[in-house]
């Protein structure tokens, strides 16, 4: 393992390396940083004034970036912001792009073979190939076999691609219009690794920078690409050779570790706690190394790689070849930052060999003992205890993650963990411990045997989401006779284990069981898996994994809602959109016809004089292991808005993040609403400070001191977030204490100052973007102030109209009084100037609401329901919240939030409503079944009571056929086999007859 726990969370008092020297010339601010070179927190001092020269290791661009990469780059963006915006350092931030690398070369060849193979399949499907397809089919099989091999040799990949291309080239002349242009291009376009590798790298480089932008990371001051720095790399290597620290061997150039150490230099500067260095050193040389170069020492690492077939190459003094991995960063960083760098940073998995080698070769080049002053490393990110990996299906790209979580939420998640420590996350609906609901053995003519406890014991300890049953498992000895470890309970009477044979071999030979059935939960429902049993044993290994619901979307139901009417259209919806309903998403554009043909006519009440009821499509789906219910408005039979349901996998820890985000957002929104309300008061309320204000101000100063202390403490963001949360909690406590008297006694200026400070610190941390000039969280895509100014007039009128209508409905005003209220509200809204965008939409919604209330003027319950519907279903669609009785009884406060937050709350409320409805339905069903059971029991008791006492033991269900002779009262004398009834048994029968006689007589009287 590269990083054990200690490599990411180093203690402050760990002994530092003897050779490290703290700079002395730069500006001191009290900041300390976790420095991998000293293995401790070192006071940060730039080499010169406030100028900070900073190099960050960028990505190797051969694939899309995942959340682990996001953790690394967002964490360093946070550190950079704090040092720049809080500590006022002038930062020159350089990031490299590794676009020449073994992985890129391999992926380029693989993609070429895949493209030509896809073209071959398209040619076959379009009947463009001759009748004798044997040669082509053989070439296609070869290509498929090569692609199935992980890191197949480049020669094999190249040969497979060339063979297929040569067979298809003669057929592509008539392909136009029959196959796609991409398939024709794959055949005719030619392939040159010297240029093709760069096209792949550029594609993923663009995706990477888009991810950084979407994550809210500031762009680097300068970007360096290896492909643009090959000559600088050659010059750098040549200088190391001239200084005596590198040597050429068969066209390769290696760094001489023994010589380097012999001159008093230190190696392993950042990796004191890293294990398996030999294994990691080989990985660092790259998977395409041929081993032809002869090293002087095993630890020596490659600076320049000799030319090999099917790789891009450049000319050098040592022959054609290409740069090694580690040398790239040294050459690029030194070109812009020189012989001494203040900060170098990257993930902790790069500590060895990359960063140790980077330091060694740079110090050898410049003949200095300290090329980098501070080396910073972020900790690993693990999912469900495992490192992120595509093979484990726990790989989430940044773009996928941002479909479920905002960049702000992801940043807050990273802020709640130390940047230098590991981060453990789990996926909602992801793999957990394998749950064996029930396991039974069955066979012909034998009763089932419950073996649940035994099967549960085979859940893997190392992988708790896997059930592993070995082949040749003796079901009699291993399952039926199973006894839980350390169990002191006696087996219950009649337990199958009590009657099983003590000899497992003989029992297996005569085993009557033929099936082992295991019930497990899968995608929210129970699934039964059956395994054959042959001669008492499992014929082969059985490995079952718990279903991973992260990234899974299942349609539960589709309902057409039309006014109060609901129609189930699940089957029709599934059939019509089977092509769009993929495993992880459902995407339908606006205008898609979703209403089945049988229901596509006019609304059911279109003939009525009132307005046609709104149509909506309600979908109930299971996403990432959670039940979700959402609705989309329809225009006639078509979607009035697009459907975009995507389930790339929710991060479970986001529940904590959402709580933090909501707390902060609610505080900002409350202070804004309070400011508007107090500004409208005449005269203005008193502003003299009392004990509550003095206490809150003291807590405010303590919070600022704590934030400063923790930022100096290696930028301890978890402690900073905790301090901000405590400040908000104290502010809310102040509000609660004062609001009980009257809201106008709250000191809004003090609360605004606290809100402004929170905004400032959150902006420093990047939680609030650079472009925002708002108080608190900004409104998406625009200046909140520019939107709020025209919108406030509409919302003031809307909220006032709703408050008045709500008051009248509660007071049960007459129809005439309500009509007058609605008339005044209509005039107030209609007099508002026509605005654009959201203000215009809210004006329309306000008019629609008032007209609906006017139509329902005499129905007080309907009016209150309309008021609730506006608050719960309407305004959240626009990012607006109406909060009833927020500051004063009978008055609602409007708050301008963002639509993602309000819609999220709306969807959660709908899910909760569905859950409650389902719970009510289940309880009602239980009551109904209990009632039926009680009635059935009473019916059977009545039928039994009708039996004449003398006939009880002859015809009653529990006695019929059991006895042969009876006395004159009907009490049995002998059993069916002639045996005489004993005294005790006869007494029990006589007692039963006596009881039955009473029941029979009572029934007779009742009738």
């Amino acid at each position: 393992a590269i990083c054990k726990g200690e490599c990411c969370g180093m203690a402050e008092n760990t002994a530092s390396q003897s050779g490290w020297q703290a700079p002395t010339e730069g500006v001191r601010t009290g900041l300390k940083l976790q420095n991998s070179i000293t293995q401790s927190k070192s006071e940060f001092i730039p080499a010169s004034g406030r100028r900070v020269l900073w190099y960050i290791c960028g990505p190797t661009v051969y694939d899309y970036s995942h959340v682990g990469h996001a953790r690394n780059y967002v964490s360093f963006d946070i550190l950079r912001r704090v040092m720049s915006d809080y500590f006022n350092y002038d930062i020159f931030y350089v990031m490299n792009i590794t676009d020449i690398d073994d992985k890129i070369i391999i992926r380029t060849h693989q993609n070429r073979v895949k493209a030509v193979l896809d073209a071959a399949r398209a040619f076959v499907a379009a009947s463009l190939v001759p009748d004798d397809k044997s040669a082509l089919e053989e070439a296609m099989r070869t290509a498929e076999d090569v692609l199935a091999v992980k890191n197949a040799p480049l020669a094999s990949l190249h040969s497979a691609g060339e063979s297929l291309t040569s067979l298809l080239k003669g057929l592509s002349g008539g392909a136009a219009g029959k196959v796609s242009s991409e398939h024709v291009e794959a055949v005719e376009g030619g392939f040159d690794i010297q240029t093709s590798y760069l096209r792949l790298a550029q594609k993923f480089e663009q995706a990477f920078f888009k991810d950084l932008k979407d994550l809210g990371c500031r762009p680097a001051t300068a970007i360096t690409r290896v492909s643009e720095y090959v000559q600088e790399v050659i010059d750098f290597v040549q200088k190391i050779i001239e200084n005596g620290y590198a040597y050429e061997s068969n066209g390769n150039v290696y760094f001489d570790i023994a010589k380097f150490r012999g001159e008093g230099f230190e190696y392993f500067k950042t990796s004191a706690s890293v294990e398996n260095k030999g294994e990691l050193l080989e990985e660092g040389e790259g998977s395409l190394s041929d081993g032809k170069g002869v090293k002087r020492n095993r630890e020596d690492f490659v600076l320049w790689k000799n030319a090999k077939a099917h790789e891009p190459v450049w000319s050098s003094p040592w022959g054609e070849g290409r740069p090694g991995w580690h040398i790239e960063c040294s050459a690029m960083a030194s070109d812009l930052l020189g012989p001494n760098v203040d900060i170098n940073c990257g993930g902790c998995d790069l500590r060895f060999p990359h960063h140790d080698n980077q330091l060694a070769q740079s110090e050898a080049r410049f003949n200095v003992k300290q090329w980098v002053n501070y080396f910073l490393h972020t900790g690993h990110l693990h999912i469900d205890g495992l490192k992120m990996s595509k093979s484990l299906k726990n790989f989430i790209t940044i773009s996928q993650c941002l479909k479920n979580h905002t960049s702000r939420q992801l940043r807050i998640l990273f802020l709640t963990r130390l940047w230098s420590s590991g981060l453990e996350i789990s996926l909602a609906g992801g793999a957990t411990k394998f749950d064996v609901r029930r396991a039974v053995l069955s066979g012909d003519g034998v009763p089932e045997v419950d073996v649940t406890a035994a099967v549960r014991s085979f859940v893997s300890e190392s992988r708790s989401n896997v059930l592993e049953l070995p082949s040749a498992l003796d079901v009699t000895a291993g399952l039926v006779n199973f006894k839980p470890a350390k169990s002191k309970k006696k087996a219950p009477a009649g337990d199958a284990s009590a009657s099983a044979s003590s000899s497992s071999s003989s029992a297996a030979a005569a085993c009557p069981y033929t099936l082992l059935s295991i019930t497990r939960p899968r995608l929210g429902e129970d699934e039964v898996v059956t395994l054959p049993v042959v001669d008492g044993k499992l014929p082969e290994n059985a490995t079952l994994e718990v279903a991973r619901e992260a990234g899974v979307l299942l349609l539960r139901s589709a309902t057409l809602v039309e006014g109060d009417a609901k129609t189930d259209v699940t089957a029709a919806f599934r059939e019509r959109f089977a092509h769009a309903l993929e495993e992880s998403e459902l995407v339908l554009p606006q205008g898609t016809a979703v209403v089945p043909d049988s229901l596509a006519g006019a609304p059911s009440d279109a003939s009525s004089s009132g307005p046609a009821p709104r149509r909506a499509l309600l979908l109930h789906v299971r996403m990432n292991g959670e039940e979700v219910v959402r609705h989309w408005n329809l225009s006639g039979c078509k979607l009035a808005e697009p459907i975009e349901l995507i389930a790339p996998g929710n991060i479970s820890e986001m529940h904590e993040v959402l709580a933090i985000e909501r707390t902060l957002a609610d505080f900002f929104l409350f202070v804004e609403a309070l400011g508007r309300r107090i500004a409208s008061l005449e005269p203005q309320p008193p502003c003299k400070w009392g004990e509550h204000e003095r206490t809150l101000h003291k807590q405010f100063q303590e919070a600022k001191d704590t934030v400063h202390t923790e930022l100096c403490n290696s930028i301890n963001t978890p402690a900073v977030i905790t301090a901000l949360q405590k400040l908000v909690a104290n502010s809310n406590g102040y509000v609660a204490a004062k609001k009980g008297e009257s809201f106008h006694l709250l000191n809004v200026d003090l609360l605004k100052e606290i809100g402004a400070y929170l905004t400032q610190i959150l902006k420093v941390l990047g939680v609030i973007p650079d472009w925002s000039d708002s108080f608190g969280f900004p409104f998406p895509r625009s200046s909140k102030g520019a939107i709020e100014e025209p919108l406030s007039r509409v919302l003031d009128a809307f909220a006032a109209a709703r408050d008045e209508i709500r008051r009248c409905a509660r007071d049960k005003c007459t129809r005439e009084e309500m009509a007058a209220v609605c008339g005044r509200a209509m005039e107030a809204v209609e007099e508002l100037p026509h605005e654009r965008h959201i203000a215009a939409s809210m004006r329309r919604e306000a008019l629609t609401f008032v007209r609906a209330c006017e139509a329902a003027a005499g129905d007080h319950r309907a009016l209150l329901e309309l008021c609730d519907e506006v608050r719960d279903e309407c305004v959240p669609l626009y990012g607006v919240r109406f909060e009833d009785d927020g500051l004063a009884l009978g008055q609602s406060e409007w708050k301008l939030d963002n639509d993602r937050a309000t819609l999220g709350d709306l969807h959660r409320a709908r899910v909760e409503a569905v859950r409650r409805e389902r719970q009510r339905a289940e309880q009602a069903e239980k009551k109904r079944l209990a009632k039926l059971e009680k009635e059935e029991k009473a019916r059977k008791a009545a039928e039994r009571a009708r039996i004449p006492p003398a006939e009880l033991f002859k015809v009653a269900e529990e006695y019929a056929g059991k006895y042969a002779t009876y006395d004159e009262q009907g009490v049995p004398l002998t059993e069916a086999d002639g045996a005489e009834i004993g005294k005790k048994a006869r007494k029990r029968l006589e007692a039963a007859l006596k009881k039955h006689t009473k029941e029979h007589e009572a029934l007779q009287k009742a009738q």
Side-chain angles (χ1 to χ4, degrees):
I2 295 175
C3 173
K4 302 174 82 173
E6 65 271 20
C7 84
C8 295
M10 297 173 285
E12 187 169 2
N13 295 322
T14 305
S16 64
Q17 294 226 359
S18 59
W20 184 80
Q21 295 293 322
T24 58
E25 301 299 322
V27 172
R28 297 186 174 189
T29 59
L31 171 64
K32 289 184 177 181
L33 291 176
Q34 192 73 49
N35 188 356
S36 295
I37 296 175
T38 65
Q39 298 285 295
S40 65
K41 292 175 184 174
S42 307
E43 182 182 7
F44 178 72
I45 309 170
S48 177
R50 289 190 173 273
R51 183 74 162 161
V52 176
L53 304 180
W54 191 331
Y55 182 80
I56 178 171
C57 288
T60 300
V61 283
Y62 73 100
D63 206 340
Y64 294 106
S65 300
H66 54 63
V67 177
H69 299 125
R71 199 279 166 109
N72 182 58
Y73 294 110
V74 171
S75 293
F76 286 126
D77 180 70
I78 292 167
L79 267 61
R80 176 190 178 190
R81 287 170 178 272
V82 171
M83 293 178 66
S84 172
D85 299 358
Y86 189 85
F87 291 104
N88 296 313
Y89 287 113
D90 179 15
I91 296 174
F92 185 18
Y93 196 76
V94 179
M95 176 187 288
N96 84 291
I97 297 294
T98 298
D99 57 359
I100 301 175
D101 183 81
D102 291 27
K103 295 185 182 73
I104 297 172
I105 297 168
I106 294 169
R107 181 64 61 87
T108 302
H109 279 283
Q110 290 173 336
N111 286 357
R112 187 270 180 115
V113 176
K114 288 177 184 176
V116 180
L117 183 58
D118 288 343
R121 291 167 179 154
F123 275 46
V124 171
S127 301
L128 295 172
V129 299
D131 293 337
D132 183 4
K133 302 190 288 286
S134 58
L136 180 62
E137 289 173 344
E138 178 62 26
M140 291 172 68
R141 281 194 294 272
T142 299
E144 290 169 348
D145 291 343
V146 169
L147 289 174
V149 177
K150 184 179 180 181
N151 292 334
L154 294 189
S156 300
L157 289 165
H158 181 76
S159 174
E162 288 296 303
S163 298
L164 267 179
T165 302
S166 63
L167 289 170
L168 294 173
K169 271 192 174 179
L171 308 173
S172 59
K178 296 182 179 179
V179 298
S180 70
S181 58
E182 288 81 3
H183 291 144
V184 175
E185 177 65 22
V187 175
E188 296 290 343
F191 178 78
D192 180 6
I193 190 61
Q194 195 68 31
T195 55
S196 296
Y197 86 92
L198 197 54
R199 285 198 294 272
L200 179 130
Q202 288 169 345
K203 169 187 173 182
F204 290 114
E205 178 189 322
Q206 291 173 2
F208 170 72
F209 283 124
K210 181 181 183 302
D211 286 340
L212 287 193
K213 182 179 179 181
D214 292 343
L215 287 168
C217 293
R218 287 178 178 169
T221 313
I223 297 294
T224 60
R225 298 185 183 92
V226 181
S227 60
E228 299 171 351
Y229 267 80
V230 174
Q231 187 56 51
E232 285 82 356
V233 169
I234 293 170
D235 296 342
F236 201 96
V237 173
Q238 185 63 44
K239 186 63 177 176
I240 297 175
I241 294 175
E242 292 172 4
N243 289 348
Y245 298 107
Y247 57 91
E248 185 270 342
S249 175
N250 294 333
N252 295 289
V253 179
Y254 292 100
F255 189 84
D256 192 336
I257 290 293
K259 178 65 180 299
F260 181 71
R261 282 175 162 166
E263 295 296 325
F265 288 92
E266 293 183 26
Y267 191 44
F268 303 135
K269 275 193 170 182
T270 71
S271 61
S273 59
V274 173
E275 300 174 354
N276 302 327
K277 283 191 170 71
E279 191 178 305
L280 294 170
L281 185 62
E282 291 179 8
E283 290 180 12
E285 297 295 82
S287 57
L288 297 180
S289 296
D290 59 7
K292 290 181 180 178
V294 178
K295 293 183 180 184
R296 294 176 183 172
N297 304 286
R298 183 172 183 268
E299 290 180 328
D300 294 351
F301 57 89
V302 69
L303 303 177
W304 182 265
K305 298 182 177 183
N306 64 3
K308 292 181 283 294
H310 317 303
E311 295 184 16
V313 295
W314 289 262
S315 298
S316 79
W318 321 285
E320 289 192 330
R322 60 186 174 90
W325 175 30
H326 317 298
I327 196 68
E328 302 166 349
C329 287
S330 293
M332 292 185 289
S334 299
D335 180 61
L336 292 178
L337 304 179
N340 185 230
V341 177
D342 291 301
I343 296 175
N344 199 335
C345 67
C348 71
D349 55 330
L350 298 179
R351 295 176 69 191
F352 184 84
H354 186 56
H355 287 158
D356 282 344
N357 292 352
Q358 188 178 316
L359 289 173
Q361 61 205 10
S362 299
E363 290 171 0
R365 157 66 178 85
F366 292 108
N367 266 320
V368 296
K369 295 295 177 70
Q370 189 166 304
W371 181 60
V372 169
N373 297 333
Y374 302 86
F375 227 124
L376 314 182
H377 287 103
T378 53
H380 275 314
L381 182 140
H382 287 83
I383 293 183
D384 295 325
L386 301 170
K387 187 177 180 181
M388 192 173 290
S389 166
K390 286 185 176 179
S391 63
L392 295 174
K393 298 182 181 180
N394 64 356
F395 180 94
I396 307 176
T397 65
I398 293 171
S399 59
Q400 283 178 318
C401 187
L402 291 178
K403 290 176 181 176
N404 268 20
H405 310 293
T406 66
S407 60
R408 181 165 77 202
Q409 290 163 355
L410 205 56
R411 185 172 289 254
I412 293 173
L413 173 65
F414 299 150
L415 285 166
T416 59
R417 308 298 192 276
L418 276 172
W419 59 270
S420 55
S421 297
L423 171 58
E424 176 76 26
I425 65 173
S426 57
L427 299 181
T432 55
K433 187 175 175 63
F434 193 101
D435 183 9
V436 180
R437 293 283 175 85
R438 188 166 183 256
V440 295
L441 282 166
S442 60
D444 293 335
V446 293
E448 288 185 347
V449 177
D450 191 308
V451 291
T452 305
V455 171
R456 281 178 180 158
S457 71
F458 285 93
V459 173
S460 170
E461 292 184 5
S462 59
R463 295 192 298 158
S464 62
N465 62 313
V466 176
L467 174 71
E468 297 174 322
L469 296 174
S471 64
L473 171 66
D474 188 324
V475 300
T476 305
L479 299 181
V480 177
N481 285 337
F482 171 79
K483 293 181 180 179
K486 299 181 181 180
S487 175
K488 297 182 180 179
K489 295 181 179 179
K490 294 182 179 179
D495 189 284
S497 62
S499 60
S501 170
S502 59
S503 171
S504 61
S505 58
S506 61
C511 181
Y513 307 116
T514 57
L515 284 178
L516 172 62
S517 301
I518 300 172
T519 304
R520 64 173 180 178
R522 183 171 178 81
L523 305 181
E525 298 176 352
D526 282 352
E527 176 189 57
V528 179
V529 179
T530 56
L531 304 174
V533 176
V534 179
D535 294 332
K537 297 180 179 180
L538 294 181
E540 56 186 26
N541 290 334
T543 301
L544 304 176
E545 289 192 37
V546 66
R548 289 179 177 270
E549 294 195 60
V552 175
L553 182 148
L554 295 172
L555 176 68
R556 293 288 202 218
S557 66
T559 306
L560 178 64
V561 181
E562 191 174 357
D564 294 331
K566 295 183 179 180
T567 306
D568 188 301
V569 294
T570 307
F573 190 89
R574 280 195 176 122
E575 181 179 356
R576 178 173 293 195
F577 300 110
H579 66 285
L581 191 59
E582 299 180 6
E583 181 182 353
S584 63
E585 64 179 45
L586 170 62
V587 178
L588 297 175
Q590 182 177 348
T592 303
V594 293
V595 177
D597 295 338
S598 59
L599 300 173
S604 57
D605 58 351
S607 58
S608 64
S609 58
R614 290 184 181 179
R615 271 188 168 187
L617 178 70
L618 187 145
L619 297 182
H620 178 189
V621 300
R622 186 175 179 85
M623 291 174 58
N624 296 317
E626 296 182 357
E627 304 297 327
V628 177
V629 179
R630 301 183 184 177
H631 85 269
W632 287 264
N633 292 321
L634 302 181
S635 177
C637 302
K638 299 180 179 180
L639 286 172
E641 52 190 326
I643 293 178
E644 290 187 4
L645 286 174
I646 302 172
N650 285 319
I651 297 174
S652 298
E653 287 71 15
M654 281 298 178
H655 291 298
E656 171 192 349
V657 170
L658 290 172
I660 295 172
E661 183 186 43
R662 187 70 263 154
T663 298
L664 292 167
D666 285 344
F667 178 73
F668 290 134
L669 294 171
F670 171 80
V671 173
E672 286 183 313
L674 177 66
R676 286 194 301 270
R677 181 67 68 180
I678 288 183
S680 67
L681 296 177
E682 291 291 344
Q684 285 290 291
C687 56
K688 184 179 180 180
W689 281 25
E691 190 59 34
H692 290 299
E693 285 75 20
R694 296 174 194 275
T695 299
L696 179 59
H697 185 260
K698 180 182 178 183
Q699 293 167 336
F700 180 25
Q701 297 306 314
E702 290 171 350
K704 290 197 285 188
D705 291 343
T706 300
V707 167
H708 179 75
T709 299
E710 296 302 339
L711 287 178
C712 288
N713 183 23
S714 192
I715 309 182
N716 185 350
T717 58
V720 170
I721 294 298
T722 299
L724 298 183
Q725 288 179 278
K726 184 178 179 182
L727 177 57
V728 172
N730 289 334
S731 300
N732 289 338
Y734 162 76
V735 170
K738 295 282 286 187
K739 201 170 71 167
E741 304 172 34
S742 177
F743 78 89
H744 70 271
L745 296 179
L746 289 168
N747 192 304
V748 70
D749 292 331
L750 177 55
L751 291 172
K752 281 183 176 180
E753 186 179 352
I754 291 172
Y757 174 76
L758 290 169
T759 302
Q760 174 198 347
I761 297 300
L762 292 174
K763 197 167 184 177
V764 165
L765 298 173
V767 176
I768 294 176
D770 292 331
W771 53 262
S772 173
D773 57 359
S774 300
F775 175 88
F777 294 143
F779 200 77
R781 301 177 299 278
S782 181
S783 167
K784 189 172 180 180
I787 290 179
E788 190 167 345
E789 185 176 348
L791 184 58
S792 63
R793 294 189 290 269
V794 179
L795 291 176
D796 283 342
F798 197 166
R802 179 177 171 275
D803 286 344
E804 187 63 14
I805 290 169
R806 187 162 156 258
R807 181 191 62 77
C808 287
R810 284 179 167 179
D811 293 345
K812 301 190 185 308
C813 294
T814 64
R815 176 185 288 273
E816 292 72 20
E817 289 172 329
M818 182 60 73
V821 167
C822 290
R824 290 193 297 272
M826 187 72 72
E827 288 178 9
V829 175
E830 287 179 337
E831 286 176 359
L832 293 170
H834 288 271
E835 302 286 357
R836 298 169 58 194
H837 307 309
I838 185 174
S841 300
M842 291 306 301
R843 185 177 183 275
R844 285 195 302 272
E845 293 290 353
L847 291 172
T848 300
F849 165 69
V850 175
R851 291 189 187 110
C853 290
E854 207 169 28
D859 190 337
H860 301 115
R861 182 176 178 179
L863 288 167
L864 290 173
E865 288 176 352
L866 284 169
C867 291
D868 289 347
E869 182 182 346
V870 161
R871 178 196 63 206
D872 299 336
E873 300 284 340
C874 174
V875 296
L877 300 175
Y878 303 94
V880 175
R881 299 178 186 274
F882 278 171
E883 295 187 359
D884 294 335
D885 310 321
L887 292 173
L889 192 62
Q891 292 183 338
S892 58
E893 304 299 325
W894 62 263
K895 298 177 179 179
L896 186 57
D897 206 340
N898 71 77
D899 54 1
R900 186 161 183 170
T902 55
L903 288 175
D905 291 346
L906 176 59
H907 293 155
R908 282 187 286 274
R910 288 174 177 167
V911 169
E912 180 61 21
V914 169
R915 187 194 65 78
R916 287 197 302 268
E917 182 62 31
R918 187 166 59 240
Q919 198 173 43
R920 282 195 293 269
E922 289 173 355
Q923 290 173 349
E925 180 66 8
K926 284 182 181 179
K927 288 182 180 179
R928 187 185 72 82
L929 293 175
K931 182 181 178 182
L932 289 176
E933 184 180 358
K934 184 178 180 181
E935 290 173 350
E936 178 65 12
K937 189 175 180 181
R939 185 189 66 77
K940 286 185 177 181
E943 282 185 3
R944 190 177 185 281
R946 289 191 183 95
I947 298 173
E951 299 295 316
L952 175 66
F953 298 111
K954 298 176 184 178
V955 299
E957 184 178 353
E958 66 269 37
Y959 299 124
K962 295 179 71 174
Y963 307 108
T965 59
Y966 309 86
D967 65 10
E968 59 275 12
Q969 281 81 33
V971 178
L973 298 174
T974 59
E975 304 276 4
D977 59 0
E980 187 177 345
I981 302 292
K983 290 183 179 180
K984 288 185 178 180
R986 182 175 176 82
K987 285 184 178 180
R988 286 197 299 271
L989 292 171
E990 287 173 347
L993 179 62
K994 185 177 181 181
K995 180 182 177 184
H996 175 73
T997 301
K998 290 181 179 179
E999 293 170 351
H1000 180 75
E1001 290 173 352
L1003 180 64
Q1004 294 287 345
K1005 289 181 180 178
Q1007 293 177 344

